Amino acid sequence: MNKKLSILTVCTFGVFGSMSAQHQPQLGKSPINEIISAMTIDEKVALLVGFGDEDTPDSIPSATIGFTKKIVPGAAGITRAIPRLDIPSIVLADGPAGLRIDPRRPGTDSTFYCTHFPVATSLASTWNAPLVKSVGNAIGNETLEYGVDILLAPATNIMRNPLCGRNFEYYSEDPILAGKLTSAMIQGIQQNGVGTSLKHFALNNQETNRTGNNVLVSPYVMRELYLKPFEIAIRESTPWTVMSSYNKVNGEYASENSLLLDSILRRQWGYKGLVMTDWFGGQDAVKQTIAGNDLLMPGLKKQYKVLKDAVDNGKLSTHILDRSVQRILELIIKTPRFQQYDYTNTVDLVANARTSRMAAAEGMVLLKNDNLTLPLDKSQTSRIALFGISSYDFIPGGTGSGDVNRAYTISLAEGLKQAGFQWNEKLAELYDTYIKKETDALPERQFDDPVQRIAEMELSDTLIQAQASCQDMAVITIGRISGEFHDRNITDDFLLSQTEQKLIENVCTAFHQKGKKVTVILNTCGVLETSSWKEQPDAILVAWLAGQEGGNAVADILTGTVTPSGKLPMTWPVNYEDVPSASNFPLAGHKESIDSTRYEEGLFVGYRYYDTFDKPVSYPFGYGLSYTTFDYGNLSIEKKEDVVEISCRIINSGNKAGKEVVQVYVSFPDKNEDYPTKELKGFAKTQILQPGETETVTVHIPLSYLKRYDETAGCWKLPQGTFRFFVNSSVEDCRLTGKYNL
C-alpha cells in the first residue's frame, strides 16, 4: 500500500484497526465472498454508512461541503476503510460541470483548480454525442489525477417545468436526447478508470420541498418519459453507481422504493452496480437497504446504530446486508485508490480549457439573425457598446453541487477584446463600479442560500444615445443563474425585469435610429420569456451557462470563427401559463404541489404537448439557426434485426462551413389520446460541411425505442402497423417523411 493510500486508514472505527491483519483475507487477493465471511457484523454495517462527521452525528456534518480534508479537500464524502482486510476508503466528489474540490490546501502554495465546462443544458444543445464524450473524458481525467474515485454526475432528470432550479444540470425535456448524451458523458468519464454516479433516480423535477415532495405519476408515463433516459444510460454506458433521489415516488421515498431500485433498475434493466443515496436522502435506513440502496451518504452515526439494531433483532437479514457489502466491495476494487494509482495532482488546464471553449460554442443557439446581423464584420463593426451587467460579469455555471472552483472566467468583454473588437471604456467603467458596489453589498451567501444576483443597472436615455452616436453596434447581455435547493421565479427571472425590458427597448430604439444593429446575448440557466421583446433586436444568441471560457466562445460565434449549430433541447413557450405543468408546479398559488405533485399532464411534457395540441411557442424544440443552409434528400428506411436505420443526404447549400443536426421523429400507428402526435426517437450531427459538401447521415433507432408500456399487462409491447418517420431540422421543420410497416 502506498503512502497516499495508507493515509485513508485513519478513517475507521477504532475497533477495526485493533484487529490483527495477520492470516486475514485481503481484498484483491482473496475472493470477495471470503472477505465478506471474514468481516464482523460491525464492519459490514459500517461499510454501508459513509464516513461523515463522527463528532456531530445528528447534525449536518461538514461532508456536505467537503469532509475529506485529509484526502481530497472539498470532495463531497468518503466511504469507510477496514485496514485489516485491505479495504480502503474511496473518495466521492460533485461534478456535473466539472470536478468540484477545494482549489487550495493547507501547507502548500500550489493550486488545484478544475476546469469549469459548459453546463449539461449547454452540452445538450450541441446534439453531439462524440463531443459530449470528449468533455466527459476531460472531466474524468481531472477526477483521476486529483485523487477522486467517483464523480457524482451526470444528472439526467427530465425538464418537466422551465422553473426547476436544477434544470441547468439536466439535458433535455426529451428522454432520448437526454439518455443518449448522458450515456456519452458517462462513457467519456469512465474511460479514465474512475466511476460516475447517475442521478437523481428518479423524478427529481423540482427543488421546492425536494426531500419531502411526493410525485404521483402513472406507470406508463414514469417508464416512457421519466425513467427512459436512465434506462438508456444504464443499458448503453453502465455507470459504476446510481444515486437515488430525495423525493417520494407514489408514496415511497425513492431511496426506499423497491420497485425503482430492485424490480426496474436491477431485474428489468440488469444493473449490477451500486446504488447510493443523495446526501442525507430518505428517512429509514433499514427500508433503504432492503429496497436495494447499498450506501448511505455522507453517513451518520445514528444510521449505523439503526442498521446494527435491525440486524441484531432480525429486521435486517444478513443476506441483504451481505448483498450491499458485496456491491460496495465490487465498486472499491475497481477504483484508482484501490489500484494504488499514483495520482499527480496535476492536470492539463490549458488543453481542457480549449475543450470547454469548443463545446460551449457548439452548444450556443442562434434564435434570430435578421439581415445577416451575424457574423460581425470587423471592418464595419469594430467598436461595440456592451450593455448589461452580464457582459462584464459573465455567469459560467449554476450554484450548489453543480458549481466548479475554477481559476478564471472569461467575460464577454474580455472575449471580444481578445477577438480584436473595441468596446467603450467609459461605459465599461460605469458597469465595473456598479457591479463592485452592488456585489459588495450582498450578504455572505451560504451553500444552500437562494441564488443572489445583483439587479440590472439603469441607464439614462442620454447615455444610451451617446453610445449609439459613437459606437458601431450594441450587444446586450441578459444573465440568469439558478441552483440547488430553490426553484426559479416567474417575476424578474423567467420574465425580464422592467429595467431589462427598458434597456432592450431604449438601446434598440437609439441604435436603430442611427442605422446600427443590436444583438442580445442570453447568458442563462434556462428558458426565458422572449415573445414580448424578441422583435426589437436584430439578433439573439443563447449562450447558456457556458463555463469558464464563455466569453471567448461567444466571441467565436459572433465573429464567425464558429458557425452556430446548437439546437434547443427544450421548448421556449410564449407564456409561462402555456407550460403543461404550470398548474401543478410549486409556485405561489399552487401550494398543493409542494408536498404532493400530480403529473396530470401525462406524456405531454414540452414539445409533446405544444406539437400535439397546436399550441404556439416562441421557439420550438430542436430549433436553431446557422450562418449557412442545408438541404435534405435521398431518404432511406430499413429494418435490420432489432434496429430501424434512417439514412438521408445532407448538403451544405449555403456559403459558409457548418454542421447540421438531423432529428428523426416518429408517429405511431395506434391513435390514442394519451400519446403525442410524434416523438423524437433518434438524431445525429454532421461533421463540418464546407459549402457544397455532402454527407450521408444514418440514425439508428432500436426497436425498443418504439415500444409502448402496457400498464395492464405490465410489459412493453411493439405496436403493430405503419410507423411514420419525420426527418426534421426542428420539431416544427420537417424536411423528409417516410413510412415503414413493422
Side-chain angles (χ1 to χ4, degrees), residues 349-581:
L349 293 175
V350 174
N352 291 347
R354 287 196 296 268
T355 299
S356 180
R357 178 174 178 171
M358 174 187 65
E362 186 153 335
M364 293 180 182
V365 183
L366 186 61
L367 297 182
K368 181 180 181 181
N369 193 27
D370 286 356
N371 301 316
L372 302 179
T373 297
L374 302 176
L376 302 179
D377 183 347
K378 270 192 273 191
S379 66
Q380 299 179 12
T381 56
S382 62
R383 296 172 302 171
I384 299 176
L386 279 180
F387 295 97
I389 59 173
S390 296
S391 290
Y392 305 90
D393 185 19
F394 207 77
I395 309 170
T399 64
S401 61
D403 198 5
V404 179
N405 292 313
R406 59 202 169 274
Y408 62 86
T409 300
I410 299 295
S411 69
L412 177 57
E414 292 171 312
L416 287 173
K417 188 172 185 178
Q418 291 181 29
F421 291 90
Q422 302 172 23
W423 31 262
N424 187 273
E425 293 187 3
K426 290 186 178 180
L427 180 60
E429 288 174 5
L430 284 177
Y431 273 106
D432 288 341
T433 301
Y434 173 82
I435 291 169
K436 185 179 187 310
K437 177 184 176 183
E438 295 298 313
T439 302
D440 290 345
L442 291 174
E444 184 177 353
R445 183 179 180 275
Q446 301 301 312
F447 184 73
D448 58 350
D449 283 344
V451 176
Q452 299 179 82
R453 182 79 173 162
I454 64 174
E456 186 56 71
M457 183 171 73
E458 295 187 16
L459 299 177
S460 68
D461 292 347
T462 301
L463 186 151
I464 293 173
Q465 290 166 1
Q467 292 296 313
S469 297
C470 64
Q471 303 299 306
D472 298 325
M473 70 167 297
V475 172
I476 305 169
T477 305
I478 303 296
R480 289 293 185 273
I481 188 171
S482 66
E484 198 175 357
F485 306 105
H486 304 275
D487 289 315
R488 295 175 60 196
N489 298 312
I490 294 179
T491 305
D492 298 341
D493 191 349
F494 176 80
L495 299 176
L496 268 59
S497 68
Q498 290 185 351
T499 303
E500 290 169 332
Q501 293 172 350
K502 185 178 178 181
L503 177 65
I504 292 175
E505 180 181 354
N506 290 350
V507 170
C508 288
T509 298
F511 276 76
H512 289 165
Q513 286 176 347
K514 298 290 185 179
K516 299 173 181 179
K517 296 180 179 180
V518 179
T519 294
V520 170
I521 308 296
L522 300 179
N523 175 204
T524 177
C525 58
V527 179
L528 298 177
E529 187 276 325
T530 54
S531 292
S532 65
W533 57 268
K534 67 180 183 181
E535 296 304 320
Q536 299 177 62
D538 303 282
I540 304 173
L541 178 70
V542 184
W544 305 115
L545 305 183
Q548 67 185 51
E549 287 285 329
N552 283 332
V554 173
D556 289 339
I557 295 291
L558 296 184
T559 60
T561 303
V562 175
T563 295
S565 63
K567 304 278 188 172
L568 293 177
M570 81 294 275
T571 308
W572 287 43
V574 174
N575 302 297
Y576 177 73
E577 292 73 23
D578 297 336
V579 176
S581 60

Side-chain angles (χ1 to χ4, degrees), residues 137-244:
N137 183 43
I139 295 175
N141 177 258
E142 293 190 7
T143 302
L144 173 68
E145 296 301 345
Y146 279 138
V148 173
D149 300 288
I150 305 295
L151 191 73
L152 303 174
T156 193
N157 297 96
I158 291 295
M159 296 176 179
R160 174 177 178 259
N161 187 287
L163 299 187
C164 175
R166 223 162 172 181
N167 273 351
F168 72 94
E169 290 188 43
Y170 303 155
Y171 288 89
S172 179
E173 67 185 25
D174 181 83
I176 304 300
L177 179 60
K180 287 292 189 180
L181 297 185
T182 300
S183 296
M185 176 61 73
I186 292 170
Q187 291 167 16
I189 294 169
Q190 292 191 167
Q191 70 186 24
N192 291 274
V194 296
T196 57
S197 194
L198 176 64
K199 63 182 188 181
H200 311 86
F201 190 65
L203 293 107
N204 188 92
N205 307 113
Q206 65 190 58
E207 287 297 288
T208 302
N209 191 31
R210 64 178 183 174
T211 60
N213 177 253
N214 181 27
V215 173
L216 300 172
V217 61
S218 68
Y220 84 94
V221 172
M222 179 173 70
R223 291 172 186 260
E224 292 196 22
L225 184 58
Y226 294 98
L227 297 189
K228 182 58 70 173
F230 289 96
E231 180 182 4
I232 292 172
I234 292 293
R235 294 185 184 277
E236 298 184 8
S237 62
T238 316
W240 286 13
T241 76
V242 170
M243 182 187 292
S244 54

Side-chain angles (χ1 to χ4, degrees), residues 6 53 111 144 329 457 720:
S6 65
D53 191 337
T111 57
L144 173 68
L329 294 178
M457 183 171 73
Q720 301 300 299

Side-chain angles (χ1 to χ4, degrees), residues 22 26 35 54 123 172 177 207 214 242 276 303 307 334 361 385 433 445 508 536 554 610 620 641 645 658 676 678:
Q22 232 177 356
Q26 302 293 289
I35 303 294
E54 292 298 310
L123 294 178
S172 179
L177 179 60
E207 287 297 288
N214 181 27
V242 170
M276 71 175 75
Q303 292 173 318
L307 290 176
K334 294 193 295 185
T433 301
R445 183 179 180 275
C508 288
Q536 299 177 62
V554 173
Y610 303 105
E641 297 182 355
E645 285 190 359
K678 62 178 180 287

